[in-house]
Amino acid sequence: MYDAIVIGAGPAGLQAALTLGRMHRSTLLLDSGEYRNGTVLHMHNVIANDGTAPAEFRATARAQLASYADVEIRDIGVDRIGGTEDEGFTVTLADGSSVDARRIVLATGVADDLPDIPGLSAQWGRTAFNCPFCDGHEHAGKSIAILGPAPRAEHLIGLLGRIVGEITVFPVGEGHSDDERRMLEALGVRVGAAPVDAVESVGIGVRISAGAEEALVAGVFVAAASVRQRAPFAEQLGLRMLPSGAIEIDDFGRTSTPGISAAGDLAHRASLPGLMASVVMASAAGQLAAIGVIQSLMASEH
């Protein structure tokens, strides 16, 4: 039986495994190969790794973990988790086999649900984004489009307005009301009249088709995407959830179910307004969750 099984090998899971390994806790890190930033070419706003390819970041982390005898990595997904803190947890893997652990760290992240716009998913993480902190600077002085409802577009305009050049806001699904249009135009942006029909990569830019209108921009920021839990484990385990759709955790990543911790985009404290998604914050959450696991294991051993 492992001291801990970490499910998910993005920044949160990798950091959790490193912290557990450094404290000589037997750890199994399970990597399904599915990542929220799987299509992203470069990650940004990560000190010492600004501009690094996510795949390179993960490969470096895994190479460093290989030097820790207490950390095992397996490239396989998970179907189910069961058990209790007192009796231990059983993790059923995608191949039907199972492994046991005293503690579990969920680091499976979230998935982005994009609006149903032809071509958008193919551009996601390449020329279409949702995070100004991650990708705004790369569009400094350039023309961009924001796709989505007026209130969320207003928030992105506030963040991106001082960075980019011209901004055009296009509605998704249905047009903006007259009041919304006037509100957006008062912020100094152009507003498309018709909802977006398609997004297409053209050279180093993006062509947006919206009714009779076409626009060529350097990049697209999506204000109409939503996120969901990538894996079913929160529901399986009956974990307490927050209005944001994230798992509720305490300061050390502990969930409402004893012995189960969570770290990364899939979880946050109730004091936060919602997901604060970034590589740095996910890594920090992974370290805190690992420390919480170690504290819990120590308490059970005395």
Side-chain angles (χ1 to χ4, degrees):
M1 179 178 286
Y2 294 94
D3 284 328
I5 293 178
V6 180
I7 304 173
L14 291 165
Q15 181 62 58
L18 175 61
T19 301
L20 288 161
R22 288 188 60 81
M23 297 307 293
H24 291 210
R25 290 293 182 174
S26 60
T27 303
L28 175 61
L29 175 63
L30 298 173
D31 187 352
S32 69
E34 298 180 350
Y35 316 104
R36 186 183 188 188
N37 64 359
T39 62
V40 174
L41 299 178
H42 304 96
M43 60 188 195
H44 299 113
N45 200 22
V46 182
I47 192 68
N49 280 288
D50 195 36
T52 299
E56 180 183 342
F57 176 89
R58 292 190 295 267
T60 300
R62 288 180 60 142
Q64 292 173 352
L65 285 171
S67 66
Y68 290 89
D70 289 297
V71 178
E72 177 186 349
I73 303 175
R74 294 181 61 180
D75 293 308
I76 192 168
V78 172
D79 285 342
R80 189 165 188 84
I81 305 168
T84 65
E85 181 182 53
D86 292 337
E87 298 179 359
F89 297 95
T90 296
V91 175
T92 303
L93 305 179
D95 62 4
S97 64
S98 62
V99 285
D100 299 321
R102 299 168 65 192
R103 302 290 185 270
I104 301 291
V105 178
L106 300 176
T108 47
V110 296
D112 294 284
D113 288 330
L114 303 177
D116 187 17
I117 299 172
L120 181 59
S121 61
Q123 299 307 313
W124 192 241
R126 299 176 181 274
T127 59
F129 315 96
N130 69 343
C131 175
F133 294 94
C134 305
D135 300 291
H137 172 74
E138 283 63 42
H139 295 83
K142 301 176 182 178
S143 62
I144 66 161
I146 294 175
L147 312 184
R152 295 176 67 178
E154 180 184 16
H155 179 67
L156 287 182
I157 292 166
L159 292 169
L160 291 165
R162 64 185 298 113
I163 298 172
V164 304
E166 185 179 62
I167 299 175
T168 304
V169 178
F170 289 95
V172 171
E174 58 183 34
H176 296 125
S177 69
D178 290 341
D179 286 345
E180 289 174 334
R181 185 183 187 89
R182 284 191 290 268
M183 179 271 289
L184 292 170
E185 289 176 339
L187 297 174
V189 305
R190 295 180 61 245
V191 182
V196 178
D197 296 321
V199 174
E200 177 186 9
S201 177
V202 180
I204 59 172
V206 182
R207 178 185 290 123
I208 297 172
S209 301
E213 183 178 1
E214 283 194 350
L216 185 63
V217 296
V220 173
F221 284 80
V222 181
S226 59
V227 298
R228 56 179 167 80
Q229 294 284 319
R230 180 177 292 278
F233 309 130
E235 184 177 358
Q236 285 181 7
L237 295 163
L239 304 183
R240 187 160 56 243
M241 308 296 289
L242 295 167
S244 64
I247 299 168
E248 182 178 354
I249 54 173
D250 68 9
D251 290 345
F252 283 95
R254 292 174 287 233
T255 73
S256 57
T257 296
I260 303 288
S261 299
D265 292 357
L266 81 168
H268 64 83
R269 300 189 301 275
S271 59
L272 295 175
L275 299 175
M276 308 291 284
S278 80
V279 172
V280 172
M281 295 186 74
S283 298
Q287 187 172 78
L288 282 169
I291 291 171
V293 166
I294 292 164
Q295 292 173 336
S296 174
L297 290 170
M298 290 176 62
S300 70
E301 292 163 353
H302 292 87

